[in-house]
Amino acid sequence: MAVDEGARTVTPGRAAQELELRRDEFRLAVQLGLVRTVPTGEGERRRVERRELDRLRAAPDFPAGLRERVRAVGTGEAAALLGITADRFTRLARTGHVSPVRFSLNRYRMVVWMYLAQEVVEFGLTRPDLLTGRLPPHLRELLAAHEDRRARNWRARRLALLLRAAEDPWARAAAIASLLDPVQVAEVVDDPYERTHLGRLRPSPPPGMPVSPVAREIAERLMRADDPDEILWHRLSLALALDEARAERQAPHPGETRAGGVGAPAVAPASTVALAGLVRAEAVPVGGETVPAVPVRAEAVPAVPAPAGRPAAGDRPVGRPGRARFLERFRRRREVGAARSRRRRRPVAWP
């Protein structure tokens, strides 16, 4: 719920100063949920409530404790924290034992991964066996196959943060769709109006995106799933998230007002709609342990009349698992592929 700007809230810049954090440290603290923000007015502007600053400043370890929790280190410093070589730390990160928290591109357009210092230290305490001697055979096999899970783990962490911050089921579906190529999204989301709505709700790129076209293309490629298993998982998750979003309300069509389209839920099959579908981000390795992702479960939606001229949620068959419908659509698409290719497709609309 929006709050009035003024004495109750401060701007992010002011909040960073009062918390004695640099701008990049403050952005990371917000992303990790260490500093809570609230929406103000229209758009995506967010501020920090004064009571949130008072809560953080009242901590006995302020400001050193907060600054340590958002301290990000590169490969060299992370290796020094563990007392190993940078090459060995890179191999451990490539095999997924430490998850990056952000990345940047240097002057040579090489990707520079950053890690939370706290998680690096925790990893060293929980897996000291990987810091000395030869790596286990299965890890050597992964490295020989040129395995690199850093980008995938970063995407999993980012998706988990986006899902935790999203309060609307369509926003959660848009967060999952942002990790897929537009062609993949178009194959899962048949309705062009739904694709356009997901595009409007697409999360903003992380701060510090490159400006030059070539560097930005590299960064955008890192933000999209590229492993076949990862792509399949996000496609299934998107199908389940769409089932949850459609049960609450339909995507707006042209000419609909906010009161009669975007914000009004569709009619439920009974008094409420209860979805059992789950949407999760991949588990993220933190400090040597695998943290399971928290499932996102649909809430009960009260029944209200559907907008005129729009199909109600109750008109669709209920009780069929979203995953089964998703796979059935793939089988049906294979059978009628020739006829489908003649249909005129709308372009995917990304802002």
Side-chain angles (χ1 to χ4, degrees):
M1 181 174 64
V3 299
D4 296 333
E5 297 183 24
R8 291 176 55 195
T9 63
V10 298
T11 63
R14 177 66 180 175
Q17 292 179 1
E18 295 196 19
L19 295 177
E20 301 183 30
L21 297 175
R22 299 193 304 269
R23 290 296 183 94
D24 58 339
E25 292 176 335
F26 177 80
R27 287 196 295 261
L28 186 56
V30 172
Q31 293 174 14
L32 296 175
L34 300 177
V35 179
R36 296 189 293 263
T37 61
V38 293
T40 56
E42 297 295 332
E44 299 180 354
R45 294 187 303 125
R46 303 184 70 89
R47 293 165 67 93
V48 182
E49 288 187 301
R50 175 61 62 181
R51 60 184 179 182
E52 175 69 2
L53 297 179
D54 295 339
R55 180 185 70 84
L56 293 169
R57 292 171 62 90
D61 60 349
F62 179 83
L66 179 60
R67 191 179 299 123
E68 182 63 24
R69 287 193 290 273
V70 296
R71 179 187 169 202
V73 296
T75 299
E77 193 171 355
L81 289 174
L82 296 176
I84 60 178
T85 64
D87 179 67
R88 189 180 185 91
F89 178 83
T90 299
R91 286 182 286 170
L92 292 173
R94 287 181 57 189
T95 51
H97 289 86
V98 185
S99 176
V101 70
R102 68 184 181 200
F103 71 89
S104 61
L105 299 179
N106 60 18
R107 69 173 73 179
Y108 305 107
R109 296 171 185 161
M110 300 292 293
V111 181
V112 178
W113 295 105
M114 305 293 290
Y115 308 85
L116 285 178
Q118 193 174 49
E119 291 184 1
V120 172
V121 174
E122 291 174 357
F123 166 72
L125 295 175
T126 56
R127 296 301 306 270
D129 56 303
L130 295 178
L131 304 183
T132 58
R134 298 193 66 186
L135 292 176
H138 69 280
L139 295 184
R140 295 201 302 269
E141 292 177 3
L142 290 176
L143 294 171
H146 305 286
E147 181 76 14
D148 192 346
R149 299 178 179 175
R150 289 175 293 183
R152 181 172 182 170
N153 285 344
W154 175 82
R155 288 190 293 266
R157 182 195 289 270
R158 172 172 164 79
L159 178 59
L161 296 175
L162 292 174
L163 291 176
R164 186 178 64 185
E167 300 177 355
D168 179 77
W170 282 102
R172 290 194 287 269
I176 300 172
S178 68
L179 272 65
L180 292 171
D181 185 272
V183 176
Q184 301 280 352
V185 175
E187 291 181 355
V188 178
V189 188
D190 296 328
D191 190 341
Y193 299 115
E194 291 182 344
R195 293 201 300 271
T196 302
H197 191 47
L198 292 176
R200 284 194 295 264
L201 297 176
R202 189 187 190 193
S204 302
M209 285 289 286
V211 178
S212 65
V214 176
R216 191 173 187 86
E217 181 181 356
I218 296 174
E220 289 177 348
R221 190 162 60 245
L222 289 173
M223 295 173 60
R224 290 177 179 168
D226 55 2
D227 185 82
D229 292 338
E230 182 187 9
I231 292 173
L232 177 60
W233 173 253
H234 290 316
R235 286 171 65 116
L236 293 171
S237 299
L238 177 58
L240 294 173
L242 284 173
D243 285 344
E244 178 185 341
R246 290 164 182 159
E248 179 165 321
R249 67 173 181 275
Q250 296 290 309
H253 284 211
E256 290 182 344
T257 61
R258 191 173 188 82
V262 178
V267 65
S271 60
T272 58
V273 174
L275 260 187
L278 299 180
V279 179
R280 74 163 178 83
E282 288 196 21
V284 179
V286 176
E289 300 292 333
T290 300
V291 178
V294 179
V296 179
R297 192 176 294 275
E299 300 292 338
V301 182
V304 296
R310 291 293 305 282
D315 296 338
R316 294 189 304 272
V318 296
R320 296 175 59 192
R323 183 186 298 265
R325 287 202 300 270
F326 177 68
L327 297 177
E328 182 179 339
R329 286 201 299 268
F330 271 90
R331 290 194 294 266
R332 189 167 58 249
R333 182 177 296 114
R334 191 177 297 111
E335 294 171 0
V336 297
R340 187 182 181 91
S341 62
R342 293 193 294 269
R343 291 173 53 188
R344 181 175 180 268
R345 274 192 178 274
R346 289 176 176 266
V348 179
W350 293 108

